[in-house]
Amino acid sequence: MNVGVAHSDPNPNSTYFSSKGMWVTYAILVAFLHYVILSLPFLSVAMAWTLTNVIHNALMFMILHIEKGTPFETADQGKFRYRTVWEQLDYGVQFSPSRKFLTVVPVVLFFLASFYTKYELYHFVVNAVSLISVLIPKLPQLDGVRLFGINAY
């Protein structure tokens, strides 16, 4: 970002995921992560899919539901300081296309991981816990809610 150059959006953090090509870039990065994990010779295909799912969900949980505020100076005067990236996304509009995409991707990864692990109990439980830990914070009823005061400030 250039210093001294104005942008028309008061909070660019809320619209970057709707920008042109972002969804394709996201899918390419997930595929690249999977291929890197799959290239490790000591991991089975089942373990590679489970690791892809868990790593993806852990990173997205940290990025979307733990990270707060904006990474740059904005004209909002601290309005979004205590809002997570998920709560800022598309200015808080529920069920926007970006939010739907970010909700569907973990579900698709869960289905792929479950299929390629042949529904083995261990992998299924790990993948299901990972999926639930990412989907629960995305519910509209939990918008702005901080459980047990964690990440409140």
Side-chain angles (χ1 to χ4, degrees), residues 9 26 49 54 75 81 85 98 107 123 143 146-147:
D9 197 359
Y26 181 79
W49 274 104
V54 170
R81 180 181 302 164
V85 174
S98 296
V107 174
H123 292 287
D143 189 49
R146 305 292 182 260
L147 297 177

Side-chain angles (χ1 to χ4, degrees), residues 86 89-90 92-101 103 138-141:
W86 176 259
L89 199 63
D90 295 331
V93 175
Q94 298 295 329
F95 305 115
S96 66
S98 296
R99 284 183 177 222
K100 287 178 185 177
F101 177 76
T103 304
K138 288 179 170 57
L139 293 173
Q141 294 85 356

Side-chain angles (χ1 to χ4, degrees), residues 63-80:
I63 292 169
L64 293 177
H65 303 294
I66 292 179
E67 186 65 34
K68 293 166 115 179
T70 55
F72 33 75
E73 189 67 34
T74 59
D76 66 1
Q77 297 182 0
K79 180 179 173 185
F80 297 108

Side-chain angles (χ1 to χ4, degrees), residues 13-24:
N13 202 26
S14 61
T15 57
Y16 76 93
F17 215 88
S18 301
S19 63
K20 190 175 185 178
M22 187 62 188
W23 292 8
V24 174

Side-chain angles (χ1 to χ4, degrees), residues 53 106-116 119 131:
N53 187 30
V107 174
V108 169
L109 276 176
F110 171 74
F111 286 145
L112 286 170
S114 296
F115 175 76
Y116 283 105
Y119 302 97
L131 176 68

